[in-house]
């Protein structure tokens, strides 16, 4: 598989669409709705929408949208075109929807379950014949084929990624799609997990519209990937309505095909989906408390205090309030002198006070590394079953081990020789910047704790919080010392995808990328294990492989998790809307709805159960 992996070349801002899934981040904008809460018919300007028809968010979109182009590397359009493990399907749609609660996929544009051949090299998907584009034409298998071929032809991030694993996508008829895997030297699929991952992650675009874009851009790849596509045709329930530097609004397509009995059987309840562009978490919280925001995807420092009034609630009724499934991580740039030394990397990681991060930066919404010892696994039961914790005890750390960190550095000969309080390596002070975007208050607080740990062990770590776009550039171009970013959370191909994103050397040939292994780590055995896992079905062997991978990770420390964290923060205010999904809430199909903020994967089912509080 390695020879195929060398082809992957990922461009900058896939993560510009991802970031808002994990934290409250910031960009300048207004701090309130254009209509007053409680005055549902008030109209103050042309950008207003009736309050009793509008579902307001925070934490989903930061800054003005650049484009509506799924092929773009710099859309800054998290609300509209995020493609993650559970992609956002308000406008564009995927073949399936992922649900982290049961680790299953459910049909969206597809009909029924995907079917593998016996050799696990060919995957067949049927298209729902009711599915329609916003222009009224039928979604067909040809659209799926053309979408894949276009991504490959113009070398979008998805095309470069999935062409490593998918040989071809064909349409033997209008309602059948056949995915054929690329094969390794043994005749196996290079990675069957990646074929499955494509189904709930990648948007299907209309063939006719793509051809229109190709024509106006003269088939120029750069122009096509930077086309604004603000005239796009999509299959989802909402279309763009307002987009500026103050707010983003989507308007429901009342002709949406999903009201067919083969899908939802009705339209989503809110006519409008909106978000004002807040400058930071604090301003978003203020609007949320006031009932000007209905669904908050921001970190809230003390959510329990907000819940006392009875209008605000979380997915889980009691602590930890949210479902932890990802691990925000401090990534080292291994090309930086000093950080190329394992002793320095592990000493910093050992010294950090993670309990303080959980208590202050995380508000207690995370299990500790004592409760769930660190590995490559998130804290869910399914992933923890894939690692032998007893075999990792000697290489794990729970944090705040200042003496142990100092001894490790001393043993490596990395000492303060001139008495200025800072240790030197090769005659130069160990001095680094730790960065994440400005305004992501919980992450900012986490890195301040990392910096404090550095000071205690004689390493100068200064925090640096640039605007989000500058941070994305720094991360994707490896222009950083220590950077905070999240690996993959819960998804159909995890924990393999997370392990791959943390340890695979395949990323090291990319000049710019925001998929993983940002620091340039390389380990031949890790690469070998990452090749073996996708083909292994024996659970005992899988556990052995993942345990060995975790050992490499904890021994070499190319990065280290700062916390376990909710996949997304999901907090709702029922001042205007009620009947939001909570633990145990099920769709009309009897499927438990995950806390995906009513926008991602199977979480979008929650839009169909909402009711107005006043009714």
């Amino acid at each position: 598989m390695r020879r195929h992996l060398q082809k992957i070349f990922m461009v900058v801002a896939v993560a510009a669409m991802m970031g808002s899934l994990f934290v409250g981040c910031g960009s300048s904008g207004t701090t309130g709705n254009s209509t007053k809460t409680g005055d549902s018919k008030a109209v103050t300007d042309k950008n207003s929408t009736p309050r009793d028809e509008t579902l307001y968010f925070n934490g989903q979109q930061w800054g003005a949208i650049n484009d509506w182009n799924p092929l773009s590397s710099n859309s800054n359009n998290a609300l509209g075109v995020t493609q993650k493990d559970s992609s956002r399907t308000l406008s564009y749609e995927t073949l399936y929807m992922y649900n982290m609660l049961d680790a299953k996929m459910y049909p969206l544009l597809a009909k029924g379950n995907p079917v593998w051949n016996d050799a696990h090299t060919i995957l067949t998907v049927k298209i729902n014949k009711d599915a329609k584009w916003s222009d009224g034409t039928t979604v067909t298998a040809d659209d799926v084929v053309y979408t894949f071929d276009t991504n490959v032809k113009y070398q979008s991030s998805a095309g470069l990624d999935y062409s490593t694993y998918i040989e071809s996508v064909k349409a033997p008829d209008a309602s059948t799609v056949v995915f054929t895997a690329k094969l390794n030297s043994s005749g196996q699929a290079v990675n069957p997990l990646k074929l499955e991952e494509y189904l709930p992650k990648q948007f299907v675009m209309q063939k006719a519209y793509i051809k229109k874009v190709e024509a106006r851009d003269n088939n120029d790849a750069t122009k096509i990937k930077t086309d604004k596509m603000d005239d796009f045709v999509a299959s989802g329930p909402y279309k763009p309505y307002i987009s500026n530097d103050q707010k983003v609004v989507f308007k429901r397509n009342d002709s949406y095909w999903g009201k067919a009995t083969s899908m939802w059987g009705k339209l989503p309840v809110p006519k409008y989906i909106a978000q004002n562009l807040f400058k930071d978490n604090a301003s978003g919280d203020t609007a949320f408390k006031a009932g000007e925001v209905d669904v908050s995807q921001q970190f809230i420092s003390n959510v329990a205090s907000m819940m006392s009034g009875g209008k605000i609630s979380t997915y889980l009724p009691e602590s930890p309030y949210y479902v932890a499934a990802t691990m925000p991580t401090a990534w080292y740039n291994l090309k930086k002198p000093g950080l190329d030394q394992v002793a320095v990397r592990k000493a910093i990681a050992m010294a950090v006070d993670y309990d303080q991060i959980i208590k202050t930066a995380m508000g207690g919404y995370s299990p500790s590394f004592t409760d769930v010892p660190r590995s490559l696994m998130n804290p869910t039961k399914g992933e923890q079953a894939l690692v032998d914790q007893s075999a990792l005890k000697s290489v794990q750390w729970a944090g705040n081990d200042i003496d142990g960190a100092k001894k490790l550095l001393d043993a490596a000969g990395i000492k303060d020789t001139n008495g200025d309080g800072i240790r030197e390596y090769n005659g130069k002070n160990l001095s680094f910047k730790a960065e994440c975007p400005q305004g992501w208050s919980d992450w900012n607080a986490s890195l301040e704790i990392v910096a404090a740990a550095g000071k205690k062990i004689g390493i100068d770590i200064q925090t640096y919080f640039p605007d989000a776009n500058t941070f994305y550039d720094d991360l994707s171009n490896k222009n950083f010392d220590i950077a905070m970013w999240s690996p993959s959370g819960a998804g159909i191909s995890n924990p393999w995808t997370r392990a791959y994103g943390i340890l695979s050397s395949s990323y090291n040939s990319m000049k710019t990328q925001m998929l993983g292994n940002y620091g340039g780590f390389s380990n031949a055995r890790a690469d070998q294990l990452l090749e073996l896992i996708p083909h292994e079905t024996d659970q005992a062997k899988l556990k052995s492989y993942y345990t060995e991978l975790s050992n490499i990770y904890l021994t070499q420390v190319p990065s280290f998790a700062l916390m376990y964290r909710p996949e997304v923060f999901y907090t709702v205010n029922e001042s205007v809307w009620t009947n939001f999904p909570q633990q145990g809430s099920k769709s009309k199909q009897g499927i438990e709805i995950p806390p995906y903020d009513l926008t991602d994967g199977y979480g979008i089912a929650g839009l169909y159960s909402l009711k107005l509080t006043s009714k």
Side-chain angles (χ1 to χ4, degrees):
M1 179 165 67
R2 192 175 295 110
R3 69 178 185 273
H4 294 298
L5 295 177
Q6 301 309 312
K7 296 184 352 180
I8 307 174
F9 176 87
M10 184 58 72
V11 287
V12 175
V14 171
M17 301 184 293
M18 295 179 183
S20 65
L21 292 175
F22 302 114
V23 294
C25 40
S27 183
S28 60
T30 59
T31 59
N33 297 335
S34 56
T35 60
K36 297 180 179 179
T37 303
D39 182 7
S40 63
K41 298 301 181 183
V43 177
T44 59
D45 59 49
K46 65 180 181 179
N47 288 342
S48 296
T49 57
R51 187 66 180 93
D52 63 355
E53 295 181 339
T54 308
L55 186 70
Y56 276 95
F57 287 86
N58 69 24
Q60 297 278 43
Q61 179 67 39
W62 300 91
I65 286 172
N66 291 337
D67 62 54
W68 304 88
N69 184 349
L71 306 175
S72 170
S73 63
N74 191 25
S75 293
N76 194 40
N77 190 351
L79 192 59
V81 294
T82 293
Q83 295 182 84
K84 278 185 53 44
D85 301 304
S86 302
S87 289
R88 192 154 296 161
T89 52
L90 293 172
S91 290
Y92 291 99
E93 292 185 312
T94 52
L95 289 166
Y96 289 86
M97 300 170 286
Y98 181 70
N99 187 338
M100 72 173 176
L101 296 178
D102 59 12
K104 293 180 180 179
M105 295 187 294
Y106 294 94
L108 184 53
L109 291 174
K111 179 181 179 181
N113 295 324
V115 178
W116 281 104
N117 67 340
D118 291 341
H120 249 58
T121 57
I122 296 175
L123 186 63
T124 301
V125 173
K126 291 289 187 178
I127 301 296
N128 188 329
K129 293 182 179 180
D130 288 326
K132 299 288 192 301
W133 296 108
S134 55
D135 63 6
T137 59
T138 300
V139 176
T140 70
D142 280 339
D143 294 308
V144 181
V145 171
Y146 206 80
T147 297
F148 176 80
D149 290 346
T150 297
N151 276 278
V152 174
K153 179 179 180 181
Y154 298 114
Q155 297 192 319
S156 72
S157 58
L160 288 163
D161 184 13
Y162 287 104
S163 62
T164 303
Y165 311 100
I166 300 174
E167 180 66 37
S168 67
V169 181
K170 303 294 183 183
D173 58 59
S175 61
T176 305
V177 185
V178 177
F179 294 84
T180 300
K182 282 197 170 178
L183 306 180
N184 60 23
S185 58
S186 300
Q188 298 173 303
V190 169
N191 188 338
L193 291 176
K194 291 293 287 186
L195 269 73
E196 292 184 354
E197 179 191 274
Y198 185 94
L199 307 182
K201 184 173 182 177
Q202 291 303 308
F203 294 137
V204 178
M205 301 175 69
Q206 187 193 53
K207 178 179 179 179
Y209 178 75
I210 298 174
K211 291 176 75 69
K212 175 182 175 181
V213 172
E214 288 176 312
R216 73 188 181 203
D217 292 330
N218 297 314
N219 295 301
D220 182 279
T222 300
K223 290 180 179 179
I224 289 169
K225 288 189 289 187
T226 56
D227 194 295
K228 296 294 184 183
M229 290 195 186
D230 46 17
D231 60 343
F232 72 93
V233 176
S235 61
Y238 292 89
K239 53 189 177 183
Y241 183 58
I242 298 166
S243 177
N244 53 45
D245 61 359
Q246 295 187 340
K247 71 187 305 181
V248 175
V249 182
F250 289 5
K251 183 177 181 180
R252 188 179 64 205
N253 173 16
D254 287 348
S255 298
Y256 173 53
W257 73 272
K259 61 186 176 182
T261 56
S262 63
M263 195 59 230
W264 305 110
K266 61 179 181 178
L267 293 170
V269 178
K271 185 173 182 178
Y272 302 96
I273 300 290
Q275 179 171 324
N276 291 309
L277 303 185
F278 300 104
K279 64 179 180 180
D280 53 25
N281 279 10
S283 54
D285 283 351
T286 298
F288 180 62
K289 291 177 185 177
E292 296 173 355
V293 168
D294 305 300
V295 183
S296 174
Q297 202 296 112
Q298 290 186 172
F299 171 84
I300 298 171
S301 60
N302 186 359
V303 74
S305 65
M306 281 193 185
M307 295 167 67
S308 60
K311 290 187 176 180
I312 291 175
S313 61
T314 53
Y315 188 77
L316 303 177
E318 298 176 349
S319 179
Y321 303 109
Y322 307 98
V323 178
T326 188
M327 303 180 294
T329 289
W331 303 79
Y332 294 117
N333 187 337
L334 273 58
K335 291 186 177 180
K336 297 288 183 177
L339 295 179
D340 57 357
Q341 299 300 298
V342 173
V344 174
R345 300 197 299 266
K346 188 156 190 175
I348 295 171
M350 290 170 60
V352 174
D353 190 340
Y354 302 101
D355 289 340
Q356 185 183 2
I357 289 177
I358 292 169
K359 181 180 179 180
T360 58
M362 273 299 296
Y365 312 143
S366 169
S368 72
F369 288 106
T370 300
D371 295 332
V372 185
R374 61 178 64 241
S375 65
L376 287 166
M377 306 296 156
N378 72 19
T380 61
K381 290 182 180 180
E383 290 200 12
Q384 287 295 311
L386 287 171
V387 67
D388 182 354
Q389 289 286 3
S390 63
L392 297 174
K393 284 185 178 180
S394 65
V395 293
Q396 290 170 325
W397 63 93
N400 201 23
D401 184 3
I402 304 303
D403 290 341
K406 287 180 177 179
K407 289 178 182 178
L408 182 63
L409 291 167
D410 290 343
I414 300 173
K415 302 179 180 181
D416 173 18
T417 62
N418 59 14
D420 66 355
I422 303 175
R423 296 174 186 262
E424 301 101 40
Y425 173 69
N426 284 346
K428 293 185 178 180
N429 281 356
L430 291 178
S431 183
F432 309 111
K433 290 193 303 182
E435 67 178 283
C436 72
Q438 185 276 332
W440 296 18
S441 56
D442 45 330
W443 283 29
N444 297 163
S446 297
L447 288 186
E448 293 291 359
I449 293 170
V450 172
K455 184 177 181 180
K456 292 178 181 178
I457 61 174
I459 297 176
D460 176 39
I461 301 176
Q462 301 292 324
T463 55
Y464 169 54
F465 305 136
D467 64 89
N469 283 333
T470 300
F471 171 78
Y472 298 147
D473 287 342
D474 287 348
L475 188 63
S476 64
N477 290 291
K478 297 184 176 64
N479 182 32
F480 68 90
D481 299 331
I482 302 170
M484 186 173 177
W485 196 247
S486 288
S488 181
I492 198 72
S493 60
N494 272 314
W496 180 86
T497 297
R498 183 185 312 111
Y500 186 84
I502 290 173
L503 298 174
S504 174
S505 66
S506 66
Y507 299 103
N508 294 345
S509 62
M510 307 177 195
K511 294 181 180 178
T512 59
Q513 60 92 8
M514 287 199 65
L515 276 182
N517 191 10
Y518 307 110
F521 179 70
S522 180
N523 181 281
R525 178 56 178 166
D527 286 337
Q528 184 181 29
L529 289 166
L530 290 167
E531 291 182 18
L532 291 170
I533 286 171
H535 305 287
E536 187 56 66
T537 58
D538 182 277
Q539 292 301 298
K541 286 186 178 180
L542 278 176
K543 186 171 184 176
S544 174
Y545 290 160
Y546 277 122
T547 300
E548 186 178 354
L549 269 181
S550 292
N551 190 293
I552 292 169
Y553 176 56
L554 298 175
T555 301
Q556 297 298 313
V557 201
S559 61
F560 62 97
L562 291 165
M563 65 189 79
Y564 295 116
R565 187 180 182 84
E567 179 82 354
V568 293
F569 285 102
Y570 170 74
T571 316
V572 300
N573 187 319
E574 295 184 90
S575 296
V576 177
W577 299 96
T578 189
N579 208 35
F580 289 96
Q582 293 181 316
Q583 186 180 36
S585 297
K586 295 183 178 180
S587 67
K588 74 165 190 173
Q589 293 93 344
I591 301 162
E592 191 167 2
I593 303 172
Y596 283 156
D597 290 322
L598 301 91
T599 57
D600 301 352
Y602 199 77
I604 203 168
L607 289 177
Y608 295 84
S609 63
L610 293 178
K611 299 178 181 178
L612 286 169
T613 302
S614 59
K615 292 184 178 181

